[in-house]
Amino acid sequence: MATGQKLMRAVRVFEFGGPEVLKLRSDIAVPIPKDHQVLIKVHACGVNPVETYIRSGTYSRKPLLPYTPGSDVAGVIEAVGDNASAFKKGDRVFTSSTISGGYAEYALAADHTVYKLPEKLDFKQGAAIGIPYFTAYRALIHSACVKAGESVLVHGASGGVGLAACQIARAYGLKILGTAGTEEGQKIVLQNGAHEVFNHREVNYIDKIKKYVGEKGIDIIIEMLANVNLSKDLSLLSHGGRVIVVGSRGTIEINPRDTMAKESSIIGVTLFSSTKEFQQYAAALQAGMEIGWLKPVIGSQYPLEKVAEAHENIIHGSGATGKMILLL
């Protein structure tokens, strides 16, 4: 270790596996920003389900070991590399991606994945924007091509992506139904733009949704748990309706015939293929922050020491209410 090199605390993964492979180290060198990079002093970092899949080694993208997880940080610019002139030391920012990993006291990021954080949002809210809002925006605007007046069902609406989808859909003039598994979750969904909410733990909730929407069906379904819900989703769609698959944790059997009479579609969404559109998404979301419809709801908060518990709970918890955050 070079003398005089600044050290920081960071979570490191040395092998793929369960939450126990997340190791908090205090001897990690603080990275130095190069061309078109900035160094951020991290105040908060969002925890996303995808980070648990990557950590377990089951995801399509495997980082080189060892690595630090986390893409959605909020904090203050600490240092600026060459040609990153959009930022200066002391700027409040949030990211949609990092180079060195977000579960750390400092994070390195490419300047085109860093955005100014308006004063009206705190760092916790800043750390809740990245993956949830960019995913929800991509799902609704790019993949579903929503039009004002259409109906959307956010299937699993009380988590980070779900609430983002409700807020964006409301701002764009859609009629929104949401589902959640707890009373608190249902309340939060209604407070964040949904017109009606259903409890997906009730045995007959699909019948209730069908009764509510009537013959026409639902134009768009944003689906967080496709391996459980996809077959039911197809029965709920309108003619020309589309299911946008944002999350899935396994396989499911469907009857393709269910798509034929309605000429419906199933469309998958990933964020990692779409960096060139990020500037467009960022412009729309920045407007949402300024106008006030983009207001992240914070759920459970964990210190860096409890990162393994956070990873356990985001997958096996009793139902999300808001966005999970690591605090630094």
Side-chain angles (χ1 to χ4, degrees):
M1 196 67 75
T3 51
Q5 173 99 54
K6 240 175 117 179
L7 300 180
M8 65 174 183
R9 295 189 315 144
V11 172
R12 301 292 279 166
V13 174
F14 295 91
E15 58 179 330
F16 296 115
E20 70 283 354
V21 303
L22 298 161
K23 305 290 185 197
L24 181 57
R25 302 290 296 263
S26 52
D27 59 349
I28 305 301
V30 174
I32 292 162
K34 300 191 180 75
D35 209 27
H36 291 290
Q37 294 177 352
V38 297
L39 181 69
I40 299 162
K41 180 162 185 16
V42 179
H43 286 249
C45 181
V47 179
N48 295 289
V50 69
E51 288 141 29
T52 70
Y53 312 148
I54 294 169
R55 182 216 70 226
S56 68
T58 57
Y59 196 64
S60 51
R61 286 185 326 132
K62 280 195 179 71
L64 290 171
L65 296 167
Y67 77 98
T68 294
S71 60
D72 300 352
V73 307
V76 174
I77 298 279
E78 176 75 13
V80 176
D82 293 340
N83 301 311
S85 57
F87 300 100
K88 63 183 188 309
K89 187 174 160 72
D91 283 351
R92 298 170 84 250
V93 293
F94 70 95
T95 66
S96 57
S97 174
T98 67
I99 295 165
S100 62
Y103 297 8
E105 290 177 322
Y106 293 89
L108 198 60
D111 59 358
H112 68 275
T113 63
V114 180
Y115 314 91
K116 296 267 174 75
L117 181 64
E119 287 296 333
K120 60 169 79 165
L121 296 184
D122 64 26
F123 290 121
K124 288 186 261 194
Q125 291 175 305
I129 298 169
I131 284 181
Y133 280 86
F134 282 80
T135 300
Y137 189 88
R138 183 170 176 80
L140 286 163
I141 310 301
H142 170 101
S143 304
C145 304
V146 298
K147 296 179 184 68
E150 286 190 311
S151 59
V152 59
L153 168 66
V154 183
H155 216 157
S158 62
V161 180
L163 291 170
C166 290
Q167 292 176 2
I168 294 167
R170 189 64 185 253
Y172 281 75
L174 283 98
K175 171 89 181 192
I176 306 150
L177 318 182
T179 77
T182 65
E183 207 173 304
E184 191 192 357
Q186 291 177 68
K187 204 168 80 187
I188 282 180
V189 169
L190 286 173
Q191 286 165 353
N192 283 278
H195 295 88
E196 191 62 54
V197 69
F198 300 87
N199 183 345
H200 53 224
R201 298 225 166 117
E202 284 180 12
V203 182
N204 63 338
Y205 83 98
I206 294 288
D207 297 330
K208 287 187 177 176
I209 295 174
K210 280 184 178 162
K211 194 174 166 195
Y212 182 82
V213 298
E215 284 296 296
K216 186 182 177 311
I218 295 164
D219 299 312
I220 301 111
I221 298 178
I222 305 294
E223 183 51 67
M224 310 301 167
L225 199 59
N227 56 298
V228 173
N229 299 323
L230 188 56
S231 183
K232 294 180 275 200
D233 289 342
L234 295 176
S235 73
L236 289 169
L237 288 176
S238 62
H239 192 273
R242 46 265 188 228
V243 179
I244 313 296
V245 178
V246 170
S248 186
R249 296 179 183 173
T251 58
I252 184 172
E253 189 173 305
I254 62 164
N255 183 350
R257 191 176 285 275
D258 292 343
T259 65
M260 291 162 62
K262 294 177 178 175
E263 299 191 316
S264 55
S265 352
I266 302 165
I267 303 168
V269 167
T270 180
L271 258 195
F272 300 111
S273 63
S274 63
T275 42
K276 66 177 184 302
E277 287 124 351
F278 267 40
Q279 296 305 320
Q280 177 199 329
Y281 304 170
L285 296 174
Q286 208 87 40
M289 292 177 227
E290 288 159 13
I291 296 163
W293 59 253
L294 192 161
K295 282 189 83 125
V297 178
I298 304 307
S300 40
Q301 304 172 34
Y302 296 85
L304 217 44
E305 295 77 13
K306 297 213 170 143
V307 63
E309 200 181 310
H311 269 222
E312 181 66 31
N313 291 345
I314 200 165
I315 299 300
H316 300 294
S318 60
T321 311
K323 175 75 185 129
M324 185 181 285
I325 297 288
L326 291 174
L327 289 174
L328 285 99

